[in-house]
Amino acid sequence: MEKKKILSAVSVVLIALSCCGCGKTQSVSSGGEPPIQSAVNSATAAEDRIFPGVEKLTLDYRTVMSPVIYGRTLYMSVSEERTPREDCDTRHIVSYNIDTGKTEYLYESAYDSAYIQQISCDGKWLVWVDQEIGGAACDICVMNLESGEIKKIDNMQPEAPAFMIPKLQNERVYWIKEEHYSERDNKISGSVYEYDCVTKKKRKIASLNYIDFYNISLSVGNGKAIWSETVNDKGTLFLYDIKSQKTEKYVTGFKYACAPLYTDGYAIFQGQNTFDNGFEQPNRNYWYNIKTGETTEVKALDSVMIAASDNFLATSCGTVIYYYKRDGEKLTLLEPYTAVRGDCKFSENDIFINAREDENKTIVYINNLKDFATK
């Protein structure tokens, strides 16, 4: 596989991972039957059914990317372009007060045309990626919401131009950076970084010998950061404790432990043994019990795992999102589903945000999963 093919795969995965959760992180049991996922026709107006726990906002922007909520303030990147175009330039970050409708412009991209995405917020700090459209420029930025100070903490490495996906946890930012491409091995290597928003110090916490589609992004939750790498043909999970600054590794029974998430003593990942122009099908998700080292297939989830918070999981099947309440390895399917996926992620307090374009406006759904009913 040529270098350009690797980079193309990484470009695709960024779009997919823009729907991955990074907020505070992640009756059907792990051995139960999967829900009937063909009952939803996404061509219907099901996305406009408003259930208890769902707030619907219509915003006067052609495109909204990476919306997150803290308190009653929505943070998002927006495009005010009113005519159809292939590349919607989401070059502004705005804050939007849900109760009053007050909008404040916080940042404008440094580039003539840009996708601003991967936004995270914890009430004190705002983190995002400022990526040039059609170019090789890509920056990670952090804003102090109290002072308004903005600091660029990293940018793309020309030797291995790919995307960085930062995650915010405990006033620190974590990301994987691709740094070197080997033509001889046709592999990209890189590092895992940590940035302390308070002290403004950045440091490398791990090295990765092989970065590809399955491990381009890490995840955070419960005071931990988690990532994976195939080491000696064994899919290995790396769990970093933010307080102690120690990393533990856990070897799985698969060659690839793809896109791991961490939630309250468990890692959940997609286990695969082949990787040749895509993984084997169907998608198979697994619990890894950090305490016991046991791996259990999550048979209830034969769809794609996209996000996790402390108490809930979100999965995608086609254009439909399903939500589950989690108690250890036990999952309970919730009502309602979301019929249009769009750009989606968990925010604070188990609130799941997703958005979809509607002509020249955008519909944003704020789903408070604590108010959802069990199915």
Side-chain angles (χ1 to χ4, degrees):
M1 182 171 61
E2 298 176 358
K3 179 182 179 183
K4 63 181 181 180
K5 293 183 179 179
I6 294 178
L7 301 181
S8 176
V10 173
S11 302
V12 171
V13 83
L14 177 71
I15 299 172
L17 287 171
S18 69
C19 297
C20 291
C22 68
K24 291 171 63 180
T25 41
Q26 286 216 343
S27 128
V28 185
S29 69
S30 60
E33 294 299 322
I36 299 174
Q37 296 178 326
S38 60
V40 180
N41 180 359
S42 62
T44 69
E47 67 273 14
D48 290 321
R49 296 166 59 195
I50 300 302
F51 294 81
V54 180
E55 232 178 318
K56 176 183 175 183
L57 304 175
T58 301
L59 304 177
D60 192 27
Y61 300 110
R62 169 162 164 60
T63 303
V64 168
M65 291 191 70
S66 198
V68 296
I69 190 172
Y70 191 87
R72 296 293 291 169
T73 301
L74 194 65
Y75 298 91
M76 54 197 166
S77 63
V78 301
S79 169
E80 296 184 309
E81 179 68 48
R82 287 293 180 268
T83 57
R85 52 183 289 191
E86 183 178 352
D87 294 320
C88 285
D89 186 355
T90 53
R91 58 181 294 98
H92 293 96
I93 295 179
V94 302
S95 66
Y96 175 83
N97 186 292
I98 296 169
D99 297 321
T100 66
K102 180 182 177 181
T103 300
E104 181 179 357
Y105 283 78
L106 303 178
Y107 175 81
E108 182 176 0
S109 174
Y111 307 107
D112 291 336
S113 60
Y115 287 130
I116 295 176
Q117 52 193 308
Q118 306 300 330
I119 298 175
S120 301
C121 181
D122 65 1
K124 294 182 179 180
W125 307 96
L126 193 68
V127 178
W128 66 88
V129 170
D130 189 356
Q131 178 201 334
E132 182 183 23
I133 295 177
C138 179
D139 307 315
I140 299 178
C141 301
V142 176
M143 171 185 276
N144 183 318
L145 288 174
E146 183 177 1
S147 68
E149 179 188 12
I150 298 173
K151 184 174 178 60
K152 184 189 299 183
I153 64 173
D154 207 349
N155 53 26
M156 186 182 291
Q157 190 78 3
E159 289 80 6
F163 304 98
M164 299 175 291
I165 306 172
K167 304 295 176 69
L168 176 63
Q169 178 84 177
N170 292 18
E171 298 191 271
R172 292 175 172 85
V173 184
Y174 297 89
W175 68 98
I176 291 173
K177 183 176 183 180
E178 301 185 359
E179 296 174 308
H180 177 70
Y181 171 70
S182 170
E183 292 187 6
R184 184 185 67 180
D185 300 328
N186 193 33
K187 290 183 178 180
I188 293 176
S189 59
S191 305
V192 181
Y193 285 95
E194 174 189 70
Y195 175 81
D196 189 316
C197 298
V198 177
T199 65
K200 300 181 181 179
K201 294 181 179 180
K202 182 178 79 171
R203 70 188 189 95
K204 184 170 83 170
I205 61 174
S207 297
L208 297 176
N209 294 319
Y210 181 31
I211 303 173
D212 213 318
F213 184 94
Y214 74 97
N215 69 339
I216 185 62
S217 176
L218 51 70
S219 180
V220 296
N222 302 121
K224 313 281 188 182
I226 189 170
W227 62 90
S228 71
E229 185 179 16
T230 297
V231 180
N232 297 324
D233 284 335
K234 295 180 179 179
T236 305
L237 302 171
F238 295 85
L239 189 64
Y240 174 80
D241 184 271
I242 295 173
K243 185 176 181 180
S244 69
Q245 299 187 348
K246 294 182 179 179
T247 303
E248 301 289 343
K249 67 178 183 179
Y250 305 90
V251 179
T252 70
F254 301 90
K255 186 173 182 179
Y256 303 98
C258 314
L261 305 173
Y262 180 78
T263 170
D264 192 25
Y266 290 87
I268 185 168
F269 65 95
Q270 185 183 138
Q272 299 283 1
N273 288 312
T274 61
F275 180 34
D276 183 13
N277 295 323
F279 291 110
E280 59 194 40
Q281 295 295 326
N283 300 300
R284 298 187 184 277
N285 296 285
Y286 296 86
W287 293 114
Y288 185 93
N289 188 315
I290 298 298
K291 185 176 181 179
T292 67
E294 295 178 337
T295 301
T296 307
E297 184 178 355
V298 191
K299 294 182 179 179
L301 303 181
D302 62 350
S303 50
V304 178
M305 171 63 56
I306 58 172
S309 71
D310 291 348
N311 304 298
F312 298 93
L313 302 176
T315 69
S316 172
C317 182
T319 59
V320 181
I321 300 172
Y322 292 91
Y323 306 107
Y324 296 84
K325 181 173 175 56
R326 186 188 70 83
D327 181 11
E329 295 182 18
K330 180 182 178 181
L331 299 178
T332 303
L333 183 63
L334 301 177
E335 176 74 30
Y337 51 77
T338 300
V340 174
R341 178 171 172 174
D343 190 8
C344 50
K345 64 169 62 179
F346 273 104
S347 278
E348 49 103 21
N349 294 330
D350 295 324
I351 295 175
F352 190 81
I353 309 291
N354 64 292
R356 67 177 180 87
E357 294 183 13
D358 184 17
E359 296 182 347
N360 284 328
K361 297 186 177 182
T362 298
I363 309 297
V364 174
Y365 299 91
I366 303 171
N367 306 278
N368 190 335
L369 301 191
K370 293 178 181 177
D371 293 335
F372 281 23
T374 57
K375 198 169 179 66

